[in-house]
């Protein structure tokens, strides 16, 4: 693999992580800031979610810095989109609730219309 190929590969991997971590940080940060519980392996409290969300945003910024996005803008943009769509599907399918359940952690109370089902 040439240096250019290695640099592009590194950009793609880091950019995909940018999409994943940035999109994952948002529900945790938003729920925490509005004082609502949300599934979090570190605890479901609003404070823990706000801190986890903020940490995720800071990690996303570092990953974006390391990704050299200007050096490979189109591959980076596609990788960010792929990572973001992946995490959007995860949260849209209530993956955070499923992950908490699989880890044996309690889930926050939800209205009956939002219960996790094995679809």
């Amino acid at each position: 693999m040439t240096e250019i190929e290695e640099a592009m590969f590194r950009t793609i991997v880091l950019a995909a992580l940018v999409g994943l971590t940035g999109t994952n940080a948002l529900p945790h940060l938003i729920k925490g800031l509005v004082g609502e519980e949300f599934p979090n392996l570190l605890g479901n409290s609003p404070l823990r979610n706000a801190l986890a969300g903020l940490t995720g945003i800071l990690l996303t910024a570092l990953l974006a810095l390391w990704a050299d996005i200007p050096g490979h803008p189109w591959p980076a943009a596609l990788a960010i989109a792929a990572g973001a769509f992946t995490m959007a599907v995860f949260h849209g399918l209530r993956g955070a609730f499923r992950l908490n359940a699989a880890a044996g952690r309690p889930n926050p109370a939800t209205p009956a219309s939002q219960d996790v089902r094995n679809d």
Side-chain angles (χ1 to χ4, degrees), residues 23-118:
T23 304
N24 185 56
L26 292 176
H28 294 284
L29 181 62
I30 292 167
K31 287 293 198 173
L33 290 177
V34 299
E36 296 177 7
E37 288 191 344
F38 189 73
N40 186 335
L41 291 176
L42 301 175
N44 302 329
S45 75
L47 177 60
R48 289 178 188 231
N49 273 289
L51 293 175
L54 182 58
T55 302
I57 295 293
L58 294 173
L59 177 60
T60 299
L62 285 173
L63 290 168
L65 183 67
W66 296 330
D68 186 28
I69 293 170
H72 307 282
W74 286 108
L78 293 173
I80 290 169
F85 275 105
T86 300
M87 191 54 66
V89 168
F90 173 80
H91 279 294
L93 294 174
R94 302 185 51 79
F97 288 87
R98 295 176 196 277
L99 185 58
N100 250 15
R105 306 283 301 175
N107 273 314
T110 59
S113 64
Q114 293 182 358
D115 282 344
V116 175
R117 288 173 253 122
N118 292 324

